[in-house]
Amino acid sequence: MQQNDTLTAASQRAAQILGAATPTGARFRVAAEFLLLVNAPLRQAMEQWQQNQADRNARAPLSQ
């Protein structure tokens, strides 16, 4: 998630620097929009997975 957040921020910054009206700036803007769209459900899925793992570990018998 940190890498996605970093890539999103970098894409947004590149779009600002290059200008959204330029072809490259527009591509960076679109990439940032896509990453923002994908990051929210991915974050939710990861949190759900982590909770499922924690629940499973809490139910598992202790092995020694």
Side-chain angles (χ1 to χ4, degrees), residues 39-54:
N39 283 350
L42 179 58
R43 188 177 311 278
Q44 290 173 344
M46 288 181 62
E47 289 170 356
Q48 182 63 50
W49 179 81
Q50 289 171 337
Q51 184 61 50
N52 291 348
Q53 292 297 327

Side-chain angles (χ1 to χ4, degrees), residues 6-30:
T6 300
L7 186 55
T8 300
S11 295
Q12 290 170 326
R13 183 70 181 130
Q16 289 173 348
I17 291 169
L18 296 170
T22 66
T24 305
R27 284 192 297 272
F28 274 115
R29 181 186 51 78
V30 169

